Amino acid sequence: MALTGPVLGMLAFTLLTFWGIASWALVRTLRQEGRKVELLEHQDRIDTYSPQALAELREWVEDNPDDPLADQARRQYNECVDVLEETDRHFYDWSREEIESLDRL
Amino acid sequence: MANSEAKTARAEWGTRFGFLMAMVGAMVGAGNIWRFPFVMGDNGGGAFIVAFLVLLFVLAVPGLMAEVALGRYTNKGIVGAFRDVTGRGGMVGFGVVVLMVNIALMSYYSPVIGWTLYYAVHSLLFTFTAPGFEAGAFMDDMFENGLLVVGLHTVVMAAIAGVLALGIREGVERIVVYAVPALVISLVVMTVRGLTLPGASEGLAFTFGIQWEYLTYSDTWIAALGQALFSTGLGWGIAMTIGSYLREYDDVPLGGGVFTAIGESSVGILAALAIFPIVFAVGAEPNAGPGLAFVSLVQVFPEIPLGGLVGILFFVGFFLATFTSGLLITEVGVTTVAEETRFDRTQTVLGVCGGIWLLGIPSAYDVAILDYLDFVFANWGLPLATLMIIGIIGWVMGPKRLRLLAVNQNAGIYVGRWWDPVIKYVIPAVMIFIMGYFAYDNFGTAEMYGGMAVLVGFPIIGYVLMSLVSRRDARSEATKVPGGDD
């Protein structure tokens, strides 16, 4: 069997897909770690949720106020809101308007 | 009381890189080296890759996210995590099932690590390139020499105990941050050597040739499913244990899910690139299992320039791959037993490693016992463990609650609602399908009866054991209640 175009194409696709995604994930997560460390050295606390994730958490707490884990969810939500309001640098992409629109649960 | 004081401060990974290497080091094992390349080439090459990739993203990535997240959420080993989710009682025993499967798995995996150690040592002695060397006879001699393999098994378990006794950061992390990159480098060097040999293109064509019709064969999907689930170690308690040592602000889904599943599969792809061009270049048999590593490849080394050095790279890398898996599989038992008993870490390491060593002697002595156990636990024991872990997340804790409280907290990527039904329905259904499929396929065989014994016996043992423990704890707590004046 010779090396045909499809074989080389599949080889390139496989390498790009697997090693490409693995390398992207490794670099991204290590960079994020570096950013978190930098923020923690600067201000001791960092925001723990992205805008989308925090909105979903709030929605769940409002829909399930009597859930056994609702108190914990509320605590985590409020903690993130407090950090966002008390710090000037954030890990996630929060705009000033988004932060101002937040209120504790 | 010194013990209880020590137990209040739980260990953490020292670096993000250490955690990532621990995840990949745990999941990359013998299967990536001696199984994946052949399964890929034998199931349509590129077509298999497509099926495998789909299943990785649909099952393995979300499943690993769930397992790591539960570990981080509870900050406990298997039994403690199950207790946090289910409350006290017999249901905690389903965590004991995971523990039992892990210990059984390690009891027959340790002799396999011993084989790779034996070959690594002989590669350093340049045995394989010596005149008159017979690869088949050399392997048969090793398998037939029960005492030799028992000795290797002893050395392996002692080495694992030595590393684990040093702890998570000083022991496990220090090893994996060097061992995993060393494995990758050795495979890269082998790949370069292999691809520059005349006739190497045959190996590439076997591995990466595309036969799209294979996507319509159920066997291709079953093989891809087995590889996607078992190679990534989903649901064995390893990812949960590693996740339980994450730090407060660490991400789960990007590192514990995407990087782990794709990264460890990438090592399998690299192994295919490293091994098959060399195997085909000299016309050796593209086998699967020990035959590929211990016969086909060993026959190749004397035939190629710098073969002795390539042999060292391969077998030392192979040993590191299996050894790091063994470390983390054993850590599952050590973490859990240390938390559930009054023993300190060193005592627990000695107890767990000693127990595994004792249980592993039959498998080390007789390779037929090892094969039997491997078949039973790969087809029924491990899917049962996965069903237990994903089952309590999906049906007791609830995937949405875990996603909101742990997966998306401090996450490097946002995980949306699509994740919930995958955890609740898809993964459990696939596990039940796998167990049923293999029971049907092996109906009436000794392996099937062994598998059924595991499926029925382990949950009963776990349930009864933890019911008794729970009752005893309730009694002792009741006696601790201070009495009144009357």
Side-chain angles (χ1 to χ4, degrees):
Chain A
M1 251 191 291
L3 273 186
T4 59
V7 171
L8 289 173
M10 180 46 81
L11 175 62
F13 167 78
T14 306
L15 288 177
L16 275 176
T17 313
F18 283 88
W19 282 93
I21 293 175
S23 304
W24 167 81
L26 179 65
V27 170
R28 184 176 162 94
T29 195
L30 290 177
R31 277 191 181 164
Q32 287 179 340
E33 168 74 4
R35 169 108 177 113
K36 283 179 185 175
V37 170
E38 184 199 329
L39 287 173
L40 284 168
E41 282 169 357
H42 173 70
Q43 57 195 29
D44 212 35
R45 298 163 81 193
I46 56 172
D47 45 317
T48 48
Y49 282 95
S50 67
Q52 196 176 7
L54 194 69
E56 204 187 353
L57 183 64
R58 182 184 183 102
E59 183 190 319
W60 183 80
V61 173
E62 286 172 347
D63 291 346
N64 303 276
D66 300 323
D67 189 282
L69 295 180
D71 281 344
Q72 185 189 344
R74 207 173 284 122
R75 204 165 44 244
Q76 288 184 201
Y77 179 90
N78 289 338
E79 183 196 333
C80 186
V81 172
D82 290 346
V83 171
L84 285 166
E85 287 171 350
E86 291 164 12
T87 55
D88 52 352
R89 294 170 65 189
H90 307 122
F91 177 70
Y92 294 104
D93 286 332
W94 285 95
S95 67
R96 185 46 48 197
E97 295 73 39
E98 282 173 327
I99 295 169
E100 281 167 2
S101 70
L102 292 172
D103 52 354
R104 288 169 60 91
L105 279 168
Chain B
M1 287 318 285
N3 292 351
S4 56
E5 272 171 32
K7 286 181 180 186
T8 54
R10 202 167 194 278
E12 289 178 339
W13 297 108
T15 62
R16 180 77 180 155
F17 189 68
F19 159 72
L20 298 169
M21 292 303 104
M23 287 294 286
V24 172
M27 307 317 178
V28 172
N32 296 68
I33 310 288
W34 72 26
R35 187 170 181 272
F36 182 78
F38 181 78
V39 171
M40 186 175 153
D42 202 38
N43 285 281
F48 176 83
I49 286 289
V50 172
F52 178 58
L53 197 61
V54 168
L55 293 172
L56 270 183
F57 274 105
V58 172
L59 300 172
V61 170
L64 282 170
M65 286 175 185
E67 206 185 327
V68 177
L70 185 62
R72 210 270 298 268
Y73 176 73
T74 59
N75 274 145
K76 290 195 176 82
I78 302 296
V79 171
F82 270 65
R83 190 181 292 113
D84 277 7
V85 174
T86 65
R88 287 184 182 278
M91 288 273 280
V92 181
F94 296 143
V96 176
V97 172
V98 179
L99 191 63
M100 288 195 290
V101 168
N102 252 278
I103 287 172
L105 167 70
M106 190 55 202
S107 75
Y108 68 82
Y109 195 64
S110 171
V112 175
I113 304 171
W115 302 347
T116 65
L117 173 62
Y118 187 65
Y119 272 73
V121 169
H122 275 281
S123 70
L124 290 165
L125 298 172
F126 293 99
T127 306
F128 309 132
T129 46
F133 175 77
E134 290 284 339
F138 185 82
M139 184 184 77
D140 292 342
D141 285 349
M142 182 185 73
F143 287 151
E144 283 164 15
N145 190 345
L147 287 178
L148 168 69
V149 184
V150 170
L152 291 165
H153 165 55
T154 308
V155 170
V156 166
M157 286 315 303
I160 285 176
V163 175
L164 293 184
L166 294 172
I168 286 293
R169 204 181 284 197
E170 299 297 316
V172 178
E173 187 168 349
R174 273 197 182 169
I175 293 285
V176 294
V177 294
Y178 295 110
V180 176
L183 166 67
V184 172
I185 290 167
S186 68
L187 289 174
V188 168
V189 175
M190 262 186 84
T191 302
V192 172
R193 172 67 280 202
L195 290 176
T196 50
L197 289 172
S201 58
E202 296 285 326
L204 287 181
F206 172 77
T207 318
F208 295 98
I210 312 165
Q211 294 162 283
W212 292 118
E213 68 274 17
Y214 273 77
L215 281 177
T216 62
Y217 303 159
S218 59
D219 281 355
T220 306
W221 287 92
I222 296 284
L225 187 60
Q227 196 66 38
L229 293 174
F230 301 132
S231 174
T232 54
L234 168 63
W236 304 2
I238 304 171
M240 189 191 288
T241 303
I242 296 174
S244 73
Y245 293 107
L246 278 172
R247 296 164 301 180
E248 187 187 353
Y249 288 109
D250 273 331
D251 141 277
V252 166
L254 183 58
V258 177
F259 174 74
T260 301
I262 306 299
E264 86 80 46
S265 304
S266 300
V267 177
I269 300 283
L270 187 59
L273 263 177
I275 294 170
F276 277 168
I278 295 182
V279 168
F280 275 79
V282 297
E285 198 62 36
N287 243 323
L292 172 68
F294 297 153
V295 180
S296 299
L297 266 173
V298 173
Q299 284 170 336
V300 163
F301 298 135
E303 306 285 327
I304 59 172
L306 300 175
L309 292 176
V310 177
I312 292 173
L313 282 175
F314 176 73
F315 281 113
V316 171
F318 193 11
F319 168 69
L320 291 175
T322 56
F323 186 74
T324 50
S325 297
L327 269 182
L328 273 311
I329 294 170
T330 311
E331 180 60 49
V332 174
V334 170
T335 295
T336 301
V337 174
E339 279 174 5
E340 298 298 317
T341 64
R342 293 177 185 174
F343 298 121
D344 66 20
R345 184 169 173 98
T346 307
Q347 291 167 330
T348 309
V349 166
L350 290 176
V352 170
C353 292
I356 290 171
W357 173 78
L358 210 57
L359 284 172
I361 289 176
S363 297
Y365 194 76
D366 187 349
V367 74
I369 295 174
L370 189 153
D371 283 343
Y372 178 81
L373 289 175
D374 183 34
F375 197 88
V376 167
F377 281 94
N379 293 332
W380 295 287
L382 294 172
L384 176 67
T386 308
L387 193 60
M388 296 290 132
I389 289 182
I390 300 297
I392 65 150
I393 295 172
W395 292 86
V396 182
M397 173 153 193
K400 186 167 188 178
R401 298 203 293 188
L402 185 66
R403 184 168 60 83
L404 295 175
L405 293 173
V407 176
N408 279 334
Q409 190 185 29
N410 300 305
I413 48 171
Y414 171 72
V415 178
R417 295 167 202 265
W418 58 270
W419 190 80
D420 305 348
V422 172
I423 300 301
K424 186 162 187 168
Y425 301 109
V426 179
I427 297 178
V430 167
M431 289 303 145
I432 291 167
F433 164 77
I434 285 178
M435 290 187 281
Y437 174 84
F438 285 116
Y440 173 77
D441 208 38
N442 296 280
F443 192 77
T445 62
E447 284 81 2
M448 189 211 82
Y449 291 122
M452 294 308 108
V454 169
L455 285 187
V456 177
F458 277 29
I460 291 175
I461 293 169
Y463 191 89
V464 170
L465 181 72
M466 292 318 291
S467 296
L468 293 173
V469 168
S470 167
R471 217 172 287 169
R472 186 204 63 190
D473 290 349
R475 266 204 304 269
S476 72
E477 270 170 29
T479 56
K480 283 181 196 163
V481 175
D485 292 337
D486 53 344

